[in-house]
Amino acid sequence: METPKEHQTKKATSTTKKQRIAFPVMTWGIKNHFHSIAVLVTVLVISTIYLTGKNNMKSSQDSLATHKNSGDSPSQCNLFSGKWVFDNSSYPLYSGNQCTYMSDQVACEKFGRKDLSYQNWRWQPHQCDLPRFNAKALLEKLRGKRLVYVGDSLNRGQWVSMVCLVESSIPPSQKSMHSNGSLITFKAMEYNATIEFYWSPLLLESNSDDPVNHRLPDRIVRIEAIEKHARYWTDADVLVFNTYLWWRRPKMKLLWGSFDRLDDGIYKEVEMLRSYEMALKTWSDWLDIHVNRTKTQLFFVSMSPTHLRKHEWSNAREGNCYNETKLITKEGYWGEGSDLRMMRLVEAAIEELGKRGLTVQMLNITQMSEYRKEAHPSIYRRQWEPLTQEQLSNPTSYADCTHWCLPGVPGAWNELLYTLLLPPSSSS
C-alpha cells in the first residue's frame, strides 16, 4: 500500500509495467557434468511440488482475474491485480451521513466509528488507471434500463453503495425508493432508470427467501428451482449476481419437491461443494435459456472475504477485525474465509456458458478485499437485538467482520463495474 506522494513518483512508469508472472521464476545453477541425472530429477520434482502446491492458490486467483471476459476493460489491463492507494483528497466519493438511502447495517460513522481512514483508499490496478466515477454518465448509460443486483447481504451492500454513488446528483423530486418484498427499487425518474436489489442469498428457491426472517437453523434449498426468483429480473439490462457465504457449511439439505408439500418431497444432505456446483448448474441453465444475449450484460461477483480470525494476519491467538485500523500489506495475502474450490466452480460455470455463446464477466473482488481487514463494521452498526452484558464486555463476540462499512470497499467494486460498463469516452 502506498501514499499519494509515493504513487506520484511511480505513476510515470506504472502504465509500462509488464504483466506480473503468476509463478515465481526459480533459477537453479546446474554445472554441466558436476550434477548427476538424480539431482536433475530431484530438482524437477521439488519444482513441480512447489509450483503446483504452494502456488496453486495464486494460479487460481490469476486464472480468475485474467478470465477472458475481464479483457473487456477499456484499457485491456487486469483490473483486479493492483494495490490500495491512500487518497484523502478524492475519496470518499460520497458522504455516508448525507446519503439518503444509507443502510444502518453498514453506516459505521453514524454508529460511532471515529477512525474514518477506511473511507480514503482507492483501488489502483497495476497497469492502468480506473476512470473517475461519473454518476451522470452511468445514469445516461442506464437510461430506460434496469440494473439489478441479485444475491445476499454482501450484494445488497454493493447495491446501497451504488445508490449512494448516484443519488446525490439527482434532485429529490426526481428519485424514489420502493420495496416490494424481496425486490427493492431505486428509480431515477428523469432517466427512467432503476437500480434494484433482489434478495436471493442462495440464488435458488430456499426456506431462507424471506428478506427479514431468514436465519433458520435447518437450511433447505430446492436445488432445481430458480423461477420463483428469476421472474423478477428476467428482463433486466444489467444483472450482477453473487452467492457464497450462505453455502459455507459442511453439508446442505436439498429438496426435490415443493415447499408447499414438504411431506411429499425428497430430501438429501449433500456435501457443500457438490451442492454449490448443482446450484450453479441450475443458474447457468436458466441464463442459457432465458437471457436475451443482445440485451443483457451479466456479471458475477466473486467471494467477499471475511476477517474473523486475527491469527491469520498477526501473532495474536484470539480476536478478529475488532479494533483494526490498518490494511494488510502483505501482497497476495489470502485468508481462510475464502474458498478457492468454490471460486473455481464459478469460473467453470462461466466458461461453460461462454461455450454456449453467453458472456458472464467475473468481478474478481476477492484478492483486493482480502487486504481490507479494517473496513468492516465491527461493532459500529445497528444491533438488531439488544446486546447482553457478556457481549458488551467482549466486543469481539459481536463484531461484524463480514459486511463492509460505507463509504468503503464495495464502492471500489462498483468502480470496477462502472469501468466494465462504460467505455473511456463515456466515463471521462
Side-chain angles (χ1 to χ4, degrees):
M1 313 308 156
E2 63 181 33
T3 64
K5 183 177 180 180
E6 293 171 332
H7 173 62
Q8 290 297 324
T9 62
K10 296 180 181 179
K11 188 172 183 180
T13 59
S14 65
T15 56
T16 60
K17 282 186 179 180
K18 295 182 179 179
Q19 178 75 32
R20 293 191 302 120
I21 299 173
F23 300 112
V25 177
M26 301 178 68
T27 304
W28 301 87
I30 302 175
K31 299 181 180 179
N32 303 328
H33 59 279
F34 290 102
H35 287 269
S36 65
I37 295 176
V39 173
L40 288 171
V41 171
T42 302
V43 168
L44 290 172
V45 170
I46 292 174
S47 300
T48 301
I49 292 173
Y50 183 84
L51 292 174
T52 59
K54 189 171 180 67
N55 290 290
N56 187 44
M57 177 187 74
K58 179 64 177 171
S59 63
S60 296
Q61 292 168 248
D62 288 343
S63 172
L64 287 161
T66 57
H67 189 277
K68 61 182 179 180
N69 292 321
S70 67
D72 292 337
S73 68
S75 56
Q76 296 296 310
C77 84
N78 183 356
L79 300 177
F80 313 114
S81 177
K83 59 192 172 185
W84 291 97
V85 176
F86 189 76
D87 182 354
N88 61 358
S89 60
S90 302
Y91 284 72
L93 296 177
Y94 62 89
S95 166
N97 286 336
Q98 294 178 14
C99 177
T100 309
Y101 306 105
M102 177 60 68
S103 166
D104 283 352
Q105 186 178 37
V106 292
C108 302
E109 183 178 2
K110 175 182 176 180
F111 286 90
R113 181 160 179 173
K114 302 302 181 184
D115 170 38
L116 302 180
S117 62
Y118 65 88
Q119 300 181 1
N120 302 126
W121 293 89
R122 63 176 173 82
W123 179 246
Q124 175 64 57
H126 285 309
Q127 296 179 307
C128 64
D129 295 321
L130 293 177
R132 176 77 175 179
F133 186 90
N134 185 322
K136 291 188 177 181
L138 178 64
L139 289 168
E140 194 61 53
K141 169 75 174 180
L142 296 176
R143 182 178 289 277
K145 297 179 180 179
R146 298 177 66 201
L147 163 58
V148 185
Y149 293 83
V150 179
D152 59 22
S153 56
L154 277 308
N155 226 19
R156 182 173 60 208
Q158 187 176 353
W159 166 75
V160 172
S161 170
M162 181 62 88
V163 170
C164 289
L165 282 165
V166 303
E167 67 98 15
S168 63
S169 65
I170 305 171
S173 63
Q174 292 296 310
K175 58 189 175 185
S176 66
M177 186 74 78
H178 175 70
S179 178
N180 181 19
S182 294
L183 183 66
I184 311 174
T185 302
F186 169 79
K187 185 168 186 177
M189 299 172 191
E190 178 185 347
Y191 298 88
N192 190 30
T194 61
I195 301 174
E196 308 169 39
F197 171 72
Y198 185 85
W199 171 261
S200 181
L202 296 141
L203 292 186
L204 310 186
E205 186 177 346
S206 75
N207 65 343
S208 300
D209 289 341
D210 189 294
V212 178
N213 301 312
H214 46 250
R215 295 203 171 275
L216 307 173
D218 191 18
R219 191 171 297 164
I220 305 172
V221 183
R222 286 189 68 199
I223 200 63
E224 294 179 344
I226 195 173
E227 291 80 5
K228 171 189 171 183
H229 301 313
R231 62 193 179 95
Y232 287 97
W233 31 265
T234 297
D235 64 343
D237 299 273
V238 183
L239 278 168
V240 183
F241 295 98
N242 91 317
T243 186
Y244 169 61
L245 284 177
W246 282 67
W247 295 92
R248 295 276 288 167
R249 50 179 58 193
K251 291 185 177 182
M252 293 293 291
K253 192 171 186 178
L254 308 185
L255 166 65
W256 284 263
S258 170
F259 283 112
D260 295 329
R261 301 181 64 183
L262 291 176
D263 293 339
D264 296 335
I266 299 174
Y267 297 88
K268 187 174 180 62
E269 285 197 338
V270 179
E271 184 269 334
M272 179 272 291
L273 281 178
R274 178 61 180 138
S275 300
Y276 194 59
E277 184 178 34
M278 293 168 71
L280 291 171
K281 175 70 164 54
T282 299
W283 169 78
S284 299
D285 287 344
W286 186 92
L287 291 178
D288 184 30
I289 295 170
H290 295 280
V291 163
N292 184 338
R293 286 162 167 75
T294 63
K295 171 185 177 181
T296 305
Q297 288 182 267
L298 301 168
F299 298 89
F300 196 103
V301 184
S302 67
M303 303 173 297
S304 176
T306 59
H307 294 91
L308 301 171
R309 301 175 182 86
K310 194 169 185 175
H311 71 82
E312 294 179 15
W313 61 82
S314 75
N315 295 323
R317 293 184 178 182
E318 298 180 351
N320 50 30
C321 70
Y322 171 67
N323 234 13
E324 293 289 341
T325 58
K326 296 182 179 181
L327 283 66
I328 294 172
T329 57
K330 179 182 178 182
E331 186 170 357
Y333 167 83
W334 194 267
E336 297 173 5
S338 298
D339 191 328
L340 275 169
R341 300 170 302 167
M342 298 177 72
M343 210 163 175
R344 293 188 194 107
L345 291 176
V346 173
E347 182 186 34
I350 289 176
E351 290 183 349
E352 178 59 31
L353 282 170
K355 295 176 182 177
R356 301 188 218 174
L358 188 62
T359 299
V360 180
Q361 299 186 81
M362 172 80 83
L363 277 183
N364 187 9
I365 55 88
T366 309
Q367 181 66 83
M368 65 186 289
S369 307
E370 285 281 6
Y371 302 122
R372 300 300 306 275
K373 63 179 171 64
E374 92 301 355
H376 297 284
S378 181
I379 64 173
Y380 304 106
R381 51 168 286 184
R382 178 181 175 183
Q383 303 300 328
W384 305 105
E385 297 180 2
L387 297 172
T388 65
Q389 286 300 318
E390 183 178 359
Q391 287 175 311
L392 290 171
S393 66
N394 180 21
T396 59
S397 66
Y398 65 95
D400 180 350
C401 301
T402 298
H403 300 93
W404 303 93
C405 293
L406 294 183
V409 172
W413 304 348
N414 281 322
E415 288 183 90
L416 295 175
L417 177 63
Y418 173 87
T419 303
L420 293 171
L421 283 173
L422 276 75
S425 60
S426 299
S427 56
S428 59

